[in-house]
Amino acid sequence: MSELLSQQDRLPDPGSFGVASLLIYDRKLVRFVPGFASWAKRFHAAYPVTSGEGLKALERFPRHMAAIGKLCAGLSRTQLVIVSAGGGSVGDFSGFVASVFQRGVRLVHVPTTWLAAIDSAHGGKTALNVGGIKNQVGTFHPAERVILVRDVLVSQPEVRAREAMGELAKTALLDRGLYRKITTAKRASKTLGVAELWKFLPAAIGVKNKIVRQDPYERLGIRHLLNLGHSIGHALEAFHKIPHGSAVGQGLWFSLEFSHKKGWLSPKDRAELGSRLTQDFGIVNLAGVLPRLPKSRLEELLARDKKVSSQGIIRWIALLGAGEARAVELPISELVRESIRQGWASR
């Protein structure tokens, strides 16, 4: 699994994708990105979608495929390349389309949110939702190219960049070199901003891709390290309806505190990493601030995790220090008790 990554200031020339390219794009981009509408018209065909989890609903997929099939009539599998422009949901949807249409066609991602640029556009995972449960149907279909466009990313509101800090912090905590680069970088303010996020994107993506290459189809357990902060983070995301990156940031705080309690993380490292989460990444611990999840609801959400065995054991990622993490197997009940102790859930 490999991808060609590039950073550039402006949207790429549609002609660089060949004469048979289909653009699947978030229709909001026409309003918010200058020149996007005229850019989209230069593709062989374009299919606008409404971003969000509704786009990934399995029951709606046949209607989408019927429309896409008409747009691509007469194009062979070797000719067609699907170009995805949007955030995570658009990338998941487009990737799934590319993986199954004509038994698989080429795929290029142009992520238009910071979160997609740092995380979901890489690694080859695609997904649809079933019955309101996220990512229950999917494939592995890596993009041949991922193009990061500065003009598009910096046009987003500042809050979108802040939401991506959870994934950047997670990646830094998995790699000592990246952690040191970020925490020792000189900047005008203590907290990372858009300029630093753009600067560190390639290195963060490189860390993820290095892990993915060791376990591309998630069969060896190595790739599970990328789920640091995600087990509790996904539960907070689902219950509080907060952005994924923000939820992962809170999941990192849970991991930090629980790893310390279990004796896997020293008091010194716990203090250091907590300070860096707050000061560098701007991720404040909201345990006891956010309303508590009911215990039964947290148990239900954790039971949906794809890393849970039939015996109620979850493969959870513990922190041992900056750049050090490992997978451990714990009962869901232990995570629930710890969530109550930290103030994320009620008794």
Side-chain angles (χ1 to χ4, degrees), residues 4-6 8 10 12 17 108-111 145-149:
L4 179 63
L5 177 69
S6 63
Q8 53 193 65
R10 296 176 181 82
F17 305 119
V108 174
H109 280 307
V110 183
R145 295 171 63 188
V146 178
I147 303 171
L148 309 177
V149 183

Side-chain angles (χ1 to χ4, degrees), residues 13-199:
D13 177 7
S16 66
F17 305 119
V19 296
S21 55
L22 168 68
L23 175 67
I24 299 177
Y25 68 94
D26 184 345
R27 55 172 32 98
K28 293 197 301 289
L29 296 171
V30 172
R31 300 197 309 273
F32 298 123
V33 177
F36 189 91
S38 58
W39 181 73
K41 291 177 182 177
R42 295 170 58 196
F43 285 80
H44 172 83
Y47 186 64
V49 295
T50 300
S51 60
E53 292 304 314
L55 173 63
K56 294 166 54 179
L58 179 63
E59 59 270 22
R60 301 179 187 177
F61 191 69
R63 186 175 74 246
H64 288 300
M65 285 308 304
I68 289 170
K70 290 180 180 179
L71 289 172
C72 298
L75 300 180
S76 71
R77 179 174 179 270
T78 55
Q79 288 178 304
L80 183 60
V81 57
I82 289 178
V83 179
S84 169
S89 61
V90 177
D92 279 354
F93 170 81
S94 303
F96 190 81
V97 171
S99 73
V100 299
F101 188 58
Q102 297 183 0
R103 295 193 177 94
V105 299
R106 292 179 295 150
L107 172 68
V108 174
H109 280 307
V110 183
T112 63
T113 67
W114 288 108
L115 193 58
I118 198 171
D119 183 45
S120 63
H122 316 279
K125 285 186 176 181
T126 81
L128 297 182
N129 305 337
V130 180
I133 302 176
K134 288 182 63 173
N135 303 340
Q136 295 299 297
V137 172
T139 58
F140 290 95
H141 191 73
E144 63 178 34
R145 295 171 63 188
V146 178
I147 303 171
L148 309 177
V149 183
R150 189 178 187 279
D151 283 355
V152 173
L153 292 172
V154 300
S155 70
Q156 297 179 73
E158 181 77 20
V159 66
R160 299 285 87 83
R162 290 199 297 271
E163 289 166 2
M165 291 301 172
E167 285 290 350
L168 180 61
K170 176 207 77 175
T171 308
L173 289 172
L174 294 174
D175 184 86
R176 192 185 304 273
L178 178 60
Y179 176 83
R180 286 175 176 169
K181 284 181 182 178
I182 291 176
T183 57
T184 60
K186 292 183 179 179
R187 48 187 177 271
S189 62
K190 287 186 177 181
T191 304
L192 294 165
V194 167
E196 291 81 20
L197 192 50
W198 176 254
K199 174 184 175 182

Side-chain angles (χ1 to χ4, degrees), residues 224-245:
H224 286 169
L225 291 174
L226 294 170
N227 288 304
L228 173 65
H230 280 60
S231 294
I232 295 297
H234 279 157
L236 296 173
E237 179 183 0
F239 183 77
H240 295 294
K241 309 300 180 187
I242 58 179
H244 174 78

Side-chain angles (χ1 to χ4, degrees), residues 298-318:
L298 178 57
E299 290 170 336
E300 176 190 350
L301 290 169
L302 288 174
R304 293 179 179 180
D305 194 299
K306 293 187 286 294
K307 300 177 296 303
V308 172
S309 72
S310 58
Q311 291 76 39
I313 302 297
I314 189 168
R315 193 172 175 83
W316 183 77
I317 309 304

